[in-house]
Amino acid sequence: MSAGLTRRELLRLACIGSAAAAVAPVETATAAVHSEKPQAAPGAVGMLYDATVCTGCKACMAACNQVNELPADSAGSGGLYHAPLDLNSKTKNIIKLYQAPNAGKWSFVKRQCMHCLDPACVSGCPFEALSKDPEKGVVRWDGSRCIGCRYCEIACPFQIPKFEWDKWNPRIVKCEFCITQRLEKGEQPGCTGACPTGAVIFGKRDALLAEAKRRIAASPGKYFENRVYGEKDAGGTQVFYLAAVPFKDLGLPELGTDSIPYYATKVNAKLYKWLSGPLVLYGILALAVNRNWKHHRHEQEQHEAKGGLPEQL
């Protein structure tokens, strides 16, 4: 404490500082953290999945489980072999089949973590158990920080993170590009290494995007909307898709081009600017309490008019 500053003055300054922090526009801080159009790290890696090349052999699924030492999920095979019905705590990567009703169109689709440039799961995690690798851009999970709140599951627009409900010390399970098992050893992820047709390939994000655009230019009209899903969707991802059918039919939602955390914090900033949101909520609650109190007093007065004062306990 500086000389001449009394306890009363220190308390006053602390109160002013706290109030200023509380009412300062939230968007000032959040805008610096979440950009509307986030940029990929220079060394960002990724995957390109071309649904028109995939044969549905599911070699990528077996390789994923082998590299990540995950048990087989035989829910879809009656206990005979690895055949999960969807992504779950035993399945980080799955090939699914889409069949259009009455149209005869079909397509395989590979589902896994999209490794968003600005991930909503990372933004939603209260203890930074999920983080984005600053060099490669991989979204990683740290079990020493996780409290199992599952906010990441709620925040993810692609519904990717899964929780180990059957474990006493559960983990969050999602694709991490095999960063520990493969990337740090200079190898590619298990799924891309096992794909026999090259339907899914691994590399630098900018190189994969260029390859996707080259395929579109080489075959006009082959791919849906002649565009790459993930280039700008949800602010951009590090997993790209090419498909001949609408992306939403493959379970890839239409999310716009803004970063999801940027959009969420923008809404919060408007809601809490100058504490307007909490004040409005407080006002509504106060009106409700006051109305109920008046109603209660009216009933009491009517009861007393008929039978006198109520008996005291």
PDB file of all heavy atoms in Angstrom, residues 23 118 132 206 223:
ATOM      1  N   VAL A  23     -18.988  -3.519 -15.488  1.00  0.00           N
ATOM      2  CA  VAL A  23     -19.827  -2.884 -16.496  1.00  0.00           C
ATOM      3  C   VAL A  23     -19.078  -2.582 -17.781  1.00  0.00           C
ATOM      4  O   VAL A  23     -19.671  -2.137 -18.743  1.00  0.00           O
ATOM      5  CB  VAL A  23     -20.435  -1.569 -15.960  1.00  0.00           C
ATOM      6  CG1 VAL A  23     -21.260  -1.838 -14.722  1.00  0.00           C
ATOM      7  CG2 VAL A  23     -19.337  -0.544 -15.657  1.00  0.00           C
ATOM      8  N   ASP A 118     -11.382 -21.977 -34.500  1.00  0.00           N
ATOM      9  CA  ASP A 118     -11.732 -21.389 -33.206  1.00  0.00           C
ATOM     10  C   ASP A 118     -12.776 -22.314 -32.576  1.00  0.00           C
ATOM     11  O   ASP A 118     -13.973 -22.103 -32.740  1.00  0.00           O
ATOM     12  CB  ASP A 118     -12.289 -19.976 -33.390  1.00  0.00           C
ATOM     13  CG  ASP A 118     -12.451 -19.253 -32.059  1.00  0.00           C
ATOM     14  OD1 ASP A 118     -12.017 -19.794 -31.021  1.00  0.00           O
ATOM     15  OD2 ASP A 118     -13.004 -18.133 -32.063  1.00  0.00           O
ATOM     16  N   LYS A 132      -6.137 -25.746 -28.039  1.00  0.00           N
ATOM     17  CA  LYS A 132      -5.735 -25.857 -29.442  1.00  0.00           C
ATOM     18  C   LYS A 132      -4.226 -25.737 -29.536  1.00  0.00           C
ATOM     19  O   LYS A 132      -3.650 -24.726 -29.099  1.00  0.00           O
ATOM     20  CB  LYS A 132      -6.425 -24.782 -30.274  1.00  0.00           C
ATOM     21  CG  LYS A 132      -6.346 -25.031 -31.769  1.00  0.00           C
ATOM     22  CD  LYS A 132      -7.402 -24.236 -32.490  1.00  0.00           C
ATOM     23  CE  LYS A 132      -7.273 -24.430 -34.005  1.00  0.00           C
ATOM     24  NZ  LYS A 132      -7.583 -25.818 -34.398  1.00  0.00           N
ATOM     25  N   ASP A 206      -3.321 -25.621 -45.710  1.00  0.00           N
ATOM     26  CA  ASP A 206      -3.374 -24.825 -46.940  1.00  0.00           C
ATOM     27  C   ASP A 206      -3.157 -25.689 -48.177  1.00  0.00           C
ATOM     28  O   ASP A 206      -3.769 -25.462 -49.230  1.00  0.00           O
ATOM     29  CB  ASP A 206      -2.363 -23.675 -46.875  1.00  0.00           C
ATOM     30  CG  ASP A 206      -0.965 -24.151 -46.524  1.00  0.00           C
ATOM     31  OD1 ASP A 206      -0.798 -25.358 -46.288  1.00  0.00           O
ATOM     32  OD2 ASP A 206      -0.038 -23.308 -46.475  1.00  0.00           O
ATOM     33  N   TYR A 223     -19.028 -31.989 -57.666  1.00  0.00           N
ATOM     34  CA  TYR A 223     -19.156 -31.812 -56.221  1.00  0.00           C
ATOM     35  C   TYR A 223     -20.278 -30.830 -55.887  1.00  0.00           C
ATOM     36  O   TYR A 223     -20.539 -29.872 -56.641  1.00  0.00           O
ATOM     37  CB  TYR A 223     -17.837 -31.308 -55.643  1.00  0.00           C
ATOM     38  CG  TYR A 223     -16.702 -32.296 -55.810  1.00  0.00           C
ATOM     39  CD1 TYR A 223     -15.701 -32.076 -56.761  1.00  0.00           C
ATOM     40  CD2 TYR A 223     -16.639 -33.445 -55.029  1.00  0.00           C
ATOM     41  CE1 TYR A 223     -14.664 -32.978 -56.926  1.00  0.00           C
ATOM     42  CE2 TYR A 223     -15.608 -34.357 -55.189  1.00  0.00           C
ATOM     43  CZ  TYR A 223     -14.620 -34.113 -56.138  1.00  0.00           C
ATOM     44  OH  TYR A 223     -13.593 -35.022 -56.295  1.00  0.00           O
TER      45      TYR A 223
END
